Amino acid sequence: MTLRESARSIFDAALAAGDVRPLVFRALAGIAPPERGRVLVVGAGKASGAMAAAVEEMWGDRIVDGLVAVKDGYLAPTRRVRLVEAGHPVPDERGAEAARDILVLAEAAGADDLVLVLVSGGGSALTPAPPPPVTLADKQEVTRLLLAAGATINQLNAVRKHCSRLKGGQLARAAAPARVEALLLSDVVGDPLDVIASGPTTGDASTFTEALAVLEHFELTERAPRSVMLRLEQGARGEIPETPKPGDSLFTRVRNTVIGNNALIVEAAAAQARDLRLTPHVLTRALEGEAREAAKRFVVMARSIEAGKGPVAPPACVIAGGETTVTVRGQGRGGRCQEFALAAALELEGTKGAIILAAGTDGTDGPSDAAGAIVDGETTVRARAHGIDPAARLADNDSHPVLRASGDLVVTGPTNTNLLDLYLLLVGAPTGARDGAALVARTSSITRSRVERSPT
Protein backbone atom coordinates (compact mmCIF):
# COMPACT_ATOMS: atom_id res chain seq x y z
CA MET A 1 0.00 0.00 0.00
CA THR A 2 1.42 3.39 -0.97
CA LEU A 3 1.63 6.35 1.39
CA ARG A 4 -1.19 8.02 -0.53
CA GLU A 5 -3.38 4.94 -0.24
CA SER A 6 -2.52 4.67 3.43
CA ALA A 7 -3.52 8.28 4.06
CA ARG A 8 -6.90 7.77 2.43
CA SER A 9 -7.40 4.49 4.31
CA ILE A 10 -6.72 6.25 7.62
CA PHE A 11 -9.13 9.06 6.76
CA ASP A 12 -11.87 6.60 5.77
CA ALA A 13 -11.42 4.66 9.02
CA ALA A 14 -11.74 7.91 10.95
CA LEU A 15 -14.96 8.76 9.13
CA ALA A 16 -16.37 5.33 9.94
CA ALA A 17 -15.70 5.94 13.63
CA GLY A 18 -17.83 9.09 13.37
CA ASP A 19 -20.91 7.24 12.11
CA VAL A 20 -23.76 8.85 14.02
CA ARG A 21 -26.09 5.83 14.15
CA PRO A 22 -24.35 3.92 16.96
CA LEU A 23 -23.61 7.18 18.75
CA VAL A 24 -27.30 8.14 18.78
CA PHE A 25 -28.39 4.62 19.79
CA ARG A 26 -26.04 4.68 22.75
CA ALA A 27 -27.29 8.09 23.86
CA LEU A 28 -30.98 7.19 23.54
CA ALA A 29 -30.45 4.12 25.70
CA GLY A 30 -29.94 6.50 28.60
CA ILE A 31 -33.00 8.66 27.93
CA ALA A 32 -36.47 7.69 29.14
CA PRO A 33 -39.34 8.72 26.82
CA PRO A 34 -42.15 10.58 28.60
CA GLU A 35 -44.80 8.43 30.27
CA ARG A 36 -47.72 10.64 29.24
CA GLY A 37 -46.40 13.44 27.08
CA ARG A 38 -45.27 13.70 23.49
CA VAL A 39 -41.84 13.35 21.89
CA LEU A 40 -40.99 16.30 19.64
CA VAL A 41 -37.76 16.28 17.63
CA VAL A 42 -36.06 19.44 16.42
CA GLY A 43 -32.54 20.28 15.39
CA ALA A 44 -30.08 21.52 12.83
CA GLY A 45 -26.70 20.65 11.40
CA LYS A 46 -24.88 18.77 8.68
CA ALA A 47 -25.18 15.47 10.56
CA SER A 48 -28.56 16.12 12.17
CA GLY A 49 -30.54 14.45 9.40
CA ALA A 50 -28.68 11.19 9.95
CA MET A 51 -29.20 11.67 13.69
CA ALA A 52 -32.95 12.06 13.12
CA ALA A 53 -33.05 8.87 11.05
CA ALA A 54 -31.32 7.00 13.89
CA VAL A 55 -33.81 8.39 16.43
CA GLU A 56 -36.73 7.24 14.28
CA GLU A 57 -35.16 3.80 13.92
CA MET A 58 -35.04 3.41 17.69
CA TRP A 59 -38.13 5.29 18.88
CA GLY A 60 -40.38 5.04 15.82
CA ASP A 61 -44.00 5.96 16.47
CA ARG A 62 -43.22 7.50 19.85
CA ILE A 63 -42.27 10.60 17.86
CA VAL A 64 -45.29 12.86 17.34
CA ASP A 65 -43.72 15.59 15.23
CA GLY A 66 -40.37 17.03 14.29
CA LEU A 67 -38.32 19.27 12.04
CA VAL A 68 -34.57 19.34 11.41
CA ALA A 69 -32.65 21.72 9.13
CA VAL A 70 -29.77 20.20 7.13
CA LYS A 71 -27.30 21.37 4.53
CA ASP A 72 -28.24 20.79 0.89
CA GLY A 73 -27.63 17.15 0.03
CA TYR A 74 -27.43 15.95 3.65
CA LEU A 75 -30.81 14.24 3.73
CA ALA A 76 -31.62 10.89 5.35
CA PRO A 77 -34.69 8.60 5.29
CA THR A 78 -37.22 9.84 7.86
CA ARG A 79 -41.00 9.57 8.21
CA ARG A 80 -41.94 11.43 11.38
CA VAL A 81 -39.27 14.12 11.34
CA ARG A 82 -39.35 16.51 8.41
CA LEU A 83 -35.92 17.37 7.03
CA VAL A 84 -35.51 20.80 5.45
CA GLU A 85 -32.50 21.68 3.30
CA ALA A 86 -31.07 25.15 3.87
CA GLY A 87 -28.09 27.33 3.05
CA HIS A 88 -24.63 26.86 4.58
CA PRO A 89 -22.28 28.57 5.44
CA VAL A 90 -24.29 31.64 4.44
CA PRO A 91 -27.86 31.39 5.81
CA ASP A 92 -30.83 31.67 3.48
CA GLU A 93 -34.61 32.07 3.65
CA ARG A 94 -35.17 28.31 3.79
CA GLY A 95 -33.17 28.21 7.01
CA ALA A 96 -35.03 31.21 8.38
CA GLU A 97 -38.37 29.49 7.75
CA ALA A 98 -37.07 26.29 9.35
CA ALA A 99 -35.99 28.27 12.42
CA ARG A 100 -39.45 29.81 12.72
CA ASP A 101 -41.08 26.36 12.50
CA ILE A 102 -38.68 24.94 15.09
CA LEU A 103 -39.57 27.74 17.49
CA VAL A 104 -43.27 27.06 16.96
CA LEU A 105 -42.78 23.37 17.78
CA ALA A 106 -40.72 24.17 20.86
CA GLU A 107 -43.18 26.76 22.16
CA ALA A 108 -46.02 24.24 21.79
CA ALA A 109 -44.35 21.76 24.14
CA GLY A 110 -45.91 21.25 27.55
CA ALA A 111 -44.52 20.17 30.90
CA ASP A 112 -45.20 16.46 30.17
CA ASP A 113 -43.48 16.54 26.79
CA LEU A 114 -39.93 15.72 25.77
CA VAL A 115 -38.21 17.94 23.23
CA LEU A 116 -35.31 16.01 21.70
CA VAL A 117 -32.84 18.41 20.12
CA LEU A 118 -30.32 17.09 17.56
CA VAL A 119 -27.40 19.43 17.07
CA SER A 120 -24.31 19.19 14.89
CA GLY A 121 -21.87 21.52 13.18
CA GLY A 122 -23.45 23.93 10.74
CA GLY A 123 -26.59 24.22 12.84
CA SER A 124 -26.02 27.90 13.51
CA ALA A 125 -25.99 28.94 9.86
CA LEU A 126 -28.81 26.56 8.97
CA THR A 127 -31.29 28.15 11.40
CA PRO A 128 -31.06 31.93 11.20
CA ALA A 129 -33.77 33.60 13.29
CA PRO A 130 -33.06 37.32 13.04
CA PRO A 131 -34.98 39.58 15.43
CA PRO A 132 -36.41 42.72 13.81
CA PRO A 133 -35.12 45.06 12.57
CA VAL A 134 -32.26 42.71 11.61
CA THR A 135 -33.17 40.98 8.35
CA LEU A 136 -31.93 37.73 6.87
CA ALA A 137 -29.98 39.73 4.29
CA ASP A 138 -28.29 41.61 7.15
CA LYS A 139 -27.29 38.32 8.82
CA GLN A 140 -26.02 36.98 5.51
CA GLU A 141 -23.87 40.05 5.02
CA VAL A 142 -22.34 40.07 8.49
CA THR A 143 -21.64 36.33 8.15
CA ARG A 144 -19.86 36.90 4.83
CA LEU A 145 -17.81 39.73 6.29
CA LEU A 146 -16.72 37.70 9.31
CA LEU A 147 -15.85 34.62 7.26
CA ALA A 148 -13.80 36.69 4.82
CA ALA A 149 -11.99 38.36 7.71
CA GLY A 150 -10.90 35.00 9.13
CA ALA A 151 -13.10 35.03 12.24
CA THR A 152 -12.99 31.90 14.40
CA ILE A 153 -16.14 29.88 15.02
CA ASN A 154 -16.29 31.34 18.54
CA GLN A 155 -16.18 34.89 17.23
CA LEU A 156 -18.71 34.19 14.50
CA ASN A 157 -21.13 32.55 16.91
CA ALA A 158 -20.89 35.36 19.47
CA VAL A 159 -22.30 37.70 16.83
CA ARG A 160 -24.84 35.17 15.53
CA LYS A 161 -26.24 34.46 18.99
CA HIS A 162 -26.94 38.12 19.61
CA CYS A 163 -28.67 38.53 16.28
CA SER A 164 -30.96 35.53 16.81
CA ARG A 165 -34.15 34.43 18.57
CA LEU A 166 -33.03 30.77 18.68
CA LYS A 167 -29.34 30.54 19.57
CA GLY A 168 -27.53 31.09 22.85
CA GLY A 169 -29.98 29.09 24.99
CA GLN A 170 -33.06 30.66 23.46
CA LEU A 171 -34.39 27.37 22.04
CA ALA A 172 -34.38 25.95 25.57
CA ARG A 173 -36.18 29.07 26.78
CA ALA A 174 -38.83 28.58 24.07
CA ALA A 175 -39.33 24.91 25.05
CA ALA A 176 -39.75 25.53 28.80
CA PRO A 177 -41.33 24.01 30.85
CA ALA A 178 -40.87 20.85 28.74
CA ARG A 179 -38.02 18.43 29.41
CA VAL A 180 -35.23 18.99 26.90
CA GLU A 181 -32.62 16.41 25.92
CA ALA A 182 -30.04 17.73 23.46
CA LEU A 183 -27.66 15.36 21.66
CA LEU A 184 -24.66 17.15 20.22
CA LEU A 185 -21.93 16.24 17.76
CA SER A 186 -19.07 18.61 18.44
CA ASP A 187 -17.24 20.30 15.58
CA VAL A 188 -15.54 22.77 17.93
CA VAL A 189 -12.13 22.46 19.57
CA GLY A 190 -12.62 21.64 23.27
CA ASP A 191 -16.36 20.87 22.87
CA PRO A 192 -17.70 24.06 24.52
CA LEU A 193 -21.45 23.52 24.69
CA ASP A 194 -22.25 27.19 24.17
CA VAL A 195 -20.33 27.25 20.87
CA ILE A 196 -21.55 24.05 19.16
CA ALA A 197 -24.13 25.38 16.66
CA SER A 198 -24.21 28.54 18.80
CA GLY A 199 -25.53 26.67 21.85
CA PRO A 200 -29.32 26.72 21.34
CA THR A 201 -29.94 24.70 24.53
CA THR A 202 -27.21 25.86 26.87
CA GLY A 203 -26.41 29.03 28.77
CA ASP A 204 -24.61 31.67 26.75
CA ALA A 205 -21.49 33.09 28.38
CA SER A 206 -20.96 35.67 25.64
CA THR A 207 -22.53 39.11 25.74
CA PHE A 208 -23.69 41.87 23.44
CA THR A 209 -20.55 43.78 24.41
CA GLU A 210 -18.33 40.90 23.31
CA ALA A 211 -20.20 40.48 20.03
CA LEU A 212 -19.69 44.18 19.34
CA ALA A 213 -16.00 43.80 20.16
CA VAL A 214 -15.65 41.08 17.49
CA LEU A 215 -16.79 43.48 14.77
CA GLU A 216 -14.51 46.17 16.16
CA HIS A 217 -11.55 43.77 16.22
CA PHE A 218 -11.94 43.03 12.50
CA GLU A 219 -12.64 46.71 11.73
CA LEU A 220 -16.10 45.88 10.38
CA THR A 221 -18.20 48.39 12.31
CA GLU A 222 -18.49 50.68 9.30
CA ARG A 223 -19.15 47.85 6.84
CA ALA A 224 -21.56 45.73 8.88
CA PRO A 225 -25.30 46.30 8.29
CA ARG A 226 -26.57 49.22 10.35
CA SER A 227 -29.38 47.12 11.84
CA VAL A 228 -26.81 44.67 13.25
CA MET A 229 -24.72 47.48 14.72
CA LEU A 230 -27.79 49.13 16.27
CA ARG A 231 -28.91 45.89 17.91
CA LEU A 232 -25.48 45.11 19.33
CA GLU A 233 -25.03 48.68 20.56
CA GLN A 234 -28.50 48.66 22.19
CA GLY A 235 -27.74 45.31 23.81
CA ALA A 236 -24.38 46.54 25.09
CA ARG A 237 -26.21 49.46 26.74
CA GLY A 238 -28.66 47.05 28.42
CA GLU A 239 -31.65 48.12 26.32
CA ILE A 240 -32.26 44.58 25.00
CA PRO A 241 -32.49 41.47 27.22
CA GLU A 242 -29.40 39.29 27.16
CA THR A 243 -29.37 35.66 26.12
CA PRO A 244 -29.97 33.29 29.08
CA LYS A 245 -26.80 32.71 31.05
CA PRO A 246 -25.36 29.57 32.68
CA GLY A 247 -27.16 28.80 35.92
CA ASP A 248 -30.48 30.28 34.78
CA SER A 249 -33.38 28.34 36.31
CA LEU A 250 -34.88 27.70 32.88
CA PHE A 251 -32.13 25.07 32.35
CA THR A 252 -33.34 22.97 35.31
CA ARG A 253 -35.00 20.47 32.95
CA VAL A 254 -32.38 20.68 30.21
CA ARG A 255 -29.56 18.18 29.62
CA ASN A 256 -26.90 18.52 26.94
CA THR A 257 -24.88 15.44 25.96
CA VAL A 258 -21.93 15.47 23.59
CA ILE A 259 -22.26 12.10 21.86
CA GLY A 260 -19.25 12.45 19.57
CA ASN A 261 -16.25 14.69 19.10
CA ASN A 262 -12.86 14.89 17.43
CA ALA A 263 -11.40 12.33 19.84
CA LEU A 264 -13.32 9.66 17.91
CA ILE A 265 -11.70 10.72 14.67
CA VAL A 266 -8.16 11.14 15.98
CA GLU A 267 -8.10 7.89 17.93
CA ALA A 268 -9.57 5.91 15.04
CA ALA A 269 -6.91 7.40 12.77
CA ALA A 270 -4.17 6.37 15.19
CA ALA A 271 -5.56 2.83 15.40
CA GLN A 272 -5.70 2.49 11.62
CA ALA A 273 -2.16 3.84 11.30
CA ARG A 274 -0.97 1.10 13.65
CA ASP A 275 -2.81 -1.50 11.55
CA LEU A 276 -0.85 -0.21 8.55
CA ARG A 277 2.46 -0.61 10.42
CA LEU A 278 2.88 3.15 10.79
CA THR A 279 3.86 4.54 14.17
CA PRO A 280 1.15 7.06 15.11
CA HIS A 281 1.92 10.31 16.89
CA VAL A 282 -1.05 12.45 17.95
CA LEU A 283 0.21 16.00 17.69
CA THR A 284 -2.92 17.83 18.88
CA ARG A 285 -6.70 17.83 18.88
CA ALA A 286 -6.71 21.62 18.93
CA LEU A 287 -5.03 22.65 15.68
CA GLU A 288 -6.03 26.24 14.95
CA GLY A 289 -4.61 29.36 13.33
CA GLU A 290 -4.00 30.36 9.71
CA ALA A 291 -4.10 27.33 7.42
CA ARG A 292 -0.96 28.35 5.55
CA GLU A 293 1.12 28.77 8.68
CA ALA A 294 -0.09 25.48 10.16
CA ALA A 295 0.81 23.74 6.91
CA LYS A 296 4.35 25.11 7.05
CA ARG A 297 4.76 23.71 10.55
CA PHE A 298 3.63 20.30 9.32
CA VAL A 299 6.30 20.30 6.60
CA VAL A 300 8.97 21.36 9.08
CA MET A 301 8.00 18.34 11.15
CA ALA A 302 8.15 16.10 8.07
CA ARG A 303 11.73 17.15 7.42
CA SER A 304 12.63 16.64 11.09
CA ILE A 305 11.22 13.11 11.02
CA GLU A 306 13.07 12.33 7.80
CA ALA A 307 16.28 13.54 9.45
CA GLY A 308 15.69 11.36 12.50
CA LYS A 309 15.08 14.34 14.77
CA GLY A 310 11.29 14.30 14.97
CA PRO A 311 8.94 13.17 17.75
CA VAL A 312 8.51 9.77 16.09
CA ALA A 313 10.64 7.56 13.85
CA PRO A 314 9.55 6.62 10.33
CA PRO A 315 7.52 4.97 9.02
CA ALA A 316 5.24 7.33 10.90
CA CYS A 317 1.85 9.01 10.86
CA VAL A 318 1.48 12.36 12.62
CA ILE A 319 -2.17 13.11 13.39
CA ALA A 320 -3.88 16.37 14.25
CA GLY A 321 -7.50 17.32 14.70
CA GLY A 322 -8.91 20.82 14.77
CA GLU A 323 -9.99 23.60 12.50
CA THR A 324 -7.74 26.18 10.90
CA THR A 325 -8.89 29.49 9.46
CA VAL A 326 -8.31 31.39 6.23
CA THR A 327 -8.13 35.14 5.90
CA VAL A 328 -9.61 35.68 2.44
CA ARG A 329 -7.72 38.26 0.42
CA GLY A 330 -8.26 36.87 -3.07
CA GLN A 331 -11.13 35.91 -5.33
CA GLY A 332 -10.44 32.20 -5.71
CA ARG A 333 -12.24 29.02 -4.72
CA GLY A 334 -11.36 26.57 -1.98
CA GLY A 335 -11.57 26.04 1.75
CA ARG A 336 -9.36 25.88 4.80
CA CYS A 337 -8.30 22.25 4.21
CA GLN A 338 -7.50 22.83 0.54
CA GLU A 339 -5.59 25.99 1.38
CA PHE A 340 -3.66 24.03 4.03
CA ALA A 341 -2.92 21.30 1.46
CA LEU A 342 -1.76 23.68 -1.27
CA ALA A 343 0.47 25.60 1.14
CA ALA A 344 1.93 22.28 2.29
CA ALA A 345 2.47 21.16 -1.30
CA LEU A 346 4.54 24.26 -2.04
CA GLU A 347 6.69 23.60 1.01
CA LEU A 348 6.99 19.89 0.15
CA GLU A 349 8.40 20.46 -3.35
CA GLY A 350 11.09 17.92 -4.08
CA THR A 351 10.32 15.75 -1.04
CA LYS A 352 10.02 12.07 -1.98
CA GLY A 353 8.90 10.30 1.17
CA ALA A 354 6.12 12.38 2.69
CA ILE A 355 2.36 12.73 2.16
CA ILE A 356 0.03 15.27 3.80
CA LEU A 357 -3.76 14.96 4.01
CA ALA A 358 -6.09 17.74 5.16
CA ALA A 359 -9.82 17.07 5.00
CA GLY A 360 -13.09 17.93 6.71
CA THR A 361 -15.01 15.08 8.30
CA ASP A 362 -18.26 16.60 7.04
CA GLY A 363 -17.20 16.00 3.43
CA THR A 364 -17.20 19.65 2.40
CA ASP A 365 -14.44 22.23 2.47
CA GLY A 366 -15.55 25.74 1.63
CA PRO A 367 -17.79 26.30 -1.39
CA SER A 368 -16.53 23.21 -3.23
CA ASP A 369 -17.34 19.55 -3.77
CA ALA A 370 -14.17 18.38 -2.03
CA ALA A 371 -13.51 17.45 1.60
CA GLY A 372 -9.85 18.42 1.22
CA ALA A 373 -6.78 17.00 -0.47
CA ILE A 374 -3.79 14.66 -0.26
CA VAL A 375 -0.55 16.26 -1.46
CA ASP A 376 3.06 15.24 -1.95
CA GLY A 377 6.34 16.62 -3.27
CA GLU A 378 5.14 16.34 -6.88
CA THR A 379 1.77 18.08 -6.48
CA THR A 380 3.05 21.42 -7.73
CA VAL A 381 4.84 19.76 -10.65
CA ARG A 382 1.60 18.13 -11.77
CA ALA A 383 -0.25 21.44 -11.44
CA ARG A 384 2.35 23.34 -13.46
CA ALA A 385 2.03 20.75 -16.23
CA HIS A 386 -1.48 22.15 -16.69
CA GLY A 387 -0.19 25.72 -16.98
CA ILE A 388 -1.09 26.62 -13.39
CA ASP A 389 1.09 28.69 -11.07
CA PRO A 390 0.41 27.18 -7.61
CA ALA A 391 2.00 30.06 -5.66
CA ALA A 392 -0.03 32.68 -7.50
CA ARG A 393 -3.21 30.69 -6.99
CA LEU A 394 -2.50 30.34 -3.26
CA ALA A 395 -2.10 34.11 -3.04
CA ASP A 396 -5.56 34.39 -4.61
CA ASN A 397 -7.08 31.83 -2.20
CA ASP A 398 -7.67 29.67 -5.27
CA SER A 399 -6.58 26.24 -4.05
CA HIS A 400 -9.41 24.14 -5.52
CA PRO A 401 -8.50 24.43 -9.23
CA VAL A 402 -4.84 23.69 -8.48
CA LEU A 403 -5.58 20.53 -6.52
CA ARG A 404 -8.15 19.41 -9.05
CA ALA A 405 -5.57 19.77 -11.84
CA SER A 406 -2.95 17.89 -9.82
CA GLY A 407 -5.39 15.06 -9.08
CA ASP A 408 -5.09 15.47 -5.33
CA LEU A 409 -8.65 16.31 -4.20
CA VAL A 410 -10.38 14.12 -1.63
CA VAL A 411 -14.06 13.86 -2.60
CA THR A 412 -16.38 11.92 -0.29
CA GLY A 413 -19.82 13.42 -0.82
CA PRO A 414 -21.95 14.03 2.29
CA THR A 415 -20.55 11.99 5.17
CA ASN A 416 -23.45 12.62 7.57
CA THR A 417 -21.05 13.39 10.36
CA ASN A 418 -19.15 16.51 11.37
CA LEU A 419 -16.34 16.20 13.91
CA LEU A 420 -13.84 18.88 12.89
CA ASP A 421 -11.02 18.38 10.38
CA LEU A 422 -8.33 15.71 10.21
CA TYR A 423 -4.72 16.45 9.29
CA LEU A 424 -2.26 13.63 8.55
CA LEU A 425 1.47 13.61 7.85
CA LEU A 426 2.82 10.27 6.65
CA VAL A 427 6.57 9.79 6.40
CA GLY A 428 8.29 6.64 5.11
CA ALA A 429 6.72 3.68 3.32
CA PRO A 430 4.41 1.47 5.38
CA THR A 431 5.46 -2.16 5.59
CA GLY A 432 1.99 -3.68 5.35
CA ALA A 433 -1.24 -4.03 7.27
CA ARG A 434 -1.97 -6.38 10.12
CA ASP A 435 -5.59 -7.41 10.12
CA GLY A 436 -7.85 -5.65 7.64
CA ALA A 437 -10.94 -6.88 9.47
CA ALA A 438 -10.01 -4.79 12.48
CA LEU A 439 -9.99 -1.45 10.70
CA VAL A 440 -12.90 0.48 12.15
CA ALA A 441 -14.87 -1.50 14.75
CA ARG A 442 -13.64 0.63 17.64
CA THR A 443 -16.33 3.24 18.08
CA SER A 444 -17.57 1.95 21.43
CA SER A 445 -14.11 2.01 23.00
CA ILE A 446 -13.15 5.51 21.90
CA THR A 447 -16.36 7.49 22.29
CA ARG A 448 -15.83 10.58 24.36
CA SER A 449 -19.25 11.68 25.60
CA ARG A 450 -19.68 14.50 28.02
CA VAL A 451 -22.85 15.43 29.82
CA GLU A 452 -23.84 18.78 31.18
CA ARG A 453 -26.59 18.68 33.78
CA SER A 454 -28.25 21.85 34.83
CA PRO A 455 -28.45 22.35 38.58
CA THR A 456 -31.68 21.16 40.14
Side-chain angles (χ1 to χ4, degrees):
M1 184 179 286
T2 67
L3 280 181
R4 181 175 290 269
E5 290 168 340
S6 296
R8 182 57 191 262
S9 175
I10 293 168
F11 180 60
D12 288 345
L15 288 182
D19 181 10
V20 303
R21 183 173 177 269
L23 302 178
V24 169
F25 280 13
R26 190 173 302 114
L28 289 181
I31 298 174
E35 294 182 3
R36 295 186 300 276
R38 303 171 299 163
V39 174
L40 304 174
V41 179
V42 297
K46 298 175 188 176
S48 295
M51 295 170 74
V55 171
E56 285 199 357
E57 188 177 346
M58 191 164 181
W59 278 6
D61 292 343
R62 290 301 310 270
I63 301 167
V64 173
D65 200 356
L67 187 146
V68 169
V70 300
K71 182 175 179 176
D72 284 307
Y74 283 64
L75 295 171
T78 58
R79 295 182 301 107
R80 296 271 179 171
V81 181
R82 183 163 60 98
L83 302 187
V84 177
E85 293 176 289
H88 181 280
V90 178
D92 62 14
E93 183 54 46
R94 295 174 299 166
E97 183 176 353
R100 289 192 290 269
D101 290 346
I102 286 170
L103 279 171
V104 168
L105 273 174
E107 289 168 348
D112 292 332
D113 296 333
L114 169 64
V115 178
L116 186 64
V117 183
L118 309 176
V119 177
S120 64
S124 185
L126 289 165
T127 50
V134 179
T135 66
L136 177 58
D138 294 336
K139 287 200 72 172
Q140 290 171 327
E141 180 60 17
V142 76
T143 298
R144 288 192 188 98
L145 289 171
L146 288 167
L147 288 172
T152 66
I153 188 66
N154 297 44
Q155 292 168 324
L156 183 60
N157 283 350
V159 175
R160 282 173 169 169
K161 283 186 284 191
H162 289 87
C163 293
S164 174
R165 296 184 296 121
L166 184 71
K167 301 169 179 60
Q170 296 179 90
L171 176 58
R173 183 159 61 193
R179 177 162 61 104
V180 175
E181 293 278 359
L183 308 183
L184 302 96
L185 283 180
S186 173
D187 69 331
V188 184
V189 171
D191 309 330
L193 298 177
D194 64 329
V195 177
I196 302 169
S198 295
T201 56
T202 192
D204 174 28
S206 72
T207 64
F208 277 106
T209 299
E210 291 169 355
L212 187 61
V214 170
L215 296 179
E216 292 171 346
H217 172 75
F218 290 108
E219 299 181 349
L220 295 175
T221 56
E222 298 300 321
R223 298 169 58 195
R226 190 58 192 152
S227 64
V228 171
M229 292 304 302
L230 285 173
R231 178 172 175 82
L232 297 184
E233 289 166 352
Q234 288 175 332
R237 292 194 298 265
E239 298 170 10
I240 297 174
E242 262 291 357
T243 49
K245 302 306 174 193
D248 192 302
S249 61
L250 75 88
F251 295 112
T252 299
R253 304 194 71 203
V254 176
R255 180 169 65 169
N256 292 284
T257 305
V258 175
I259 65 171
N261 60 18
N262 192 245
L264 284 169
I265 300 302
V266 168
E267 294 184 27
Q272 176 69 343
R274 281 190 290 270
D275 283 336
L276 296 175
R277 304 289 187 182
L278 294 162
T279 302
H281 174 71
V282 176
L283 181 66
T284 181
R285 284 187 51 233
L287 187 67
E288 294 181 298
E290 280 288 331
R292 299 183 195 185
E293 297 305 314
K296 290 178 182 178
R297 293 194 295 273
F298 250 53
V299 177
V300 168
M301 180 169 290
R303 301 200 188 284
S304 296
I305 293 171
E306 287 179 325
K309 299 178 181 179
V312 62
C317 178
V318 177
I319 304 164
E323 185 173 285
T324 60
T325 55
V326 173
T327 301
V328 179
R329 297 185 176 89
Q331 302 298 316
R333 185 183 182 206
R336 58 182 179 266
C337 290
Q338 291 168 80
E339 179 133 339
F340 181 105
L342 180 54
L346 285 162
E347 297 292 327
L348 277 174
E349 282 188 354
T351 300
K352 298 297 184 183
I355 286 280
I356 288 178
L357 175 146
T361 58
D362 60 356
T364 57
D365 181 47
S368 76
D369 59 353
I374 305 173
V375 297
D376 56 34
E378 299 295 318
T379 290
T380 53
V381 174
R382 294 191 294 272
R384 291 189 186 104
H386 292 271
I388 294 173
D389 182 344
R393 292 297 184 91
L394 180 62
D396 195 36
N397 301 115
D398 199 25
S399 55
H400 184 79
V402 183
L403 298 166
R404 181 179 57 204
S406 66
D408 291 331
L409 290 174
V410 172
V411 179
T412 63
T415 62
N416 290 320
T417 193
N418 189 10
L419 299 172
L420 287 173
D421 301 334
L422 185 67
Y423 303 85
L424 305 174
L425 164 62
L426 277 65
V427 181
T431 58
R434 285 201 279 266
D435 181 6
L439 296 185
V440 295
R442 297 181 174 85
T443 304
S444 62
S445 64
I446 58 179
T447 300
R448 295 292 182 268
S449 294
R450 182 161 58 85
V451 178
E452 176 204 64
R453 292 183 184 274
S454 299
T456 55

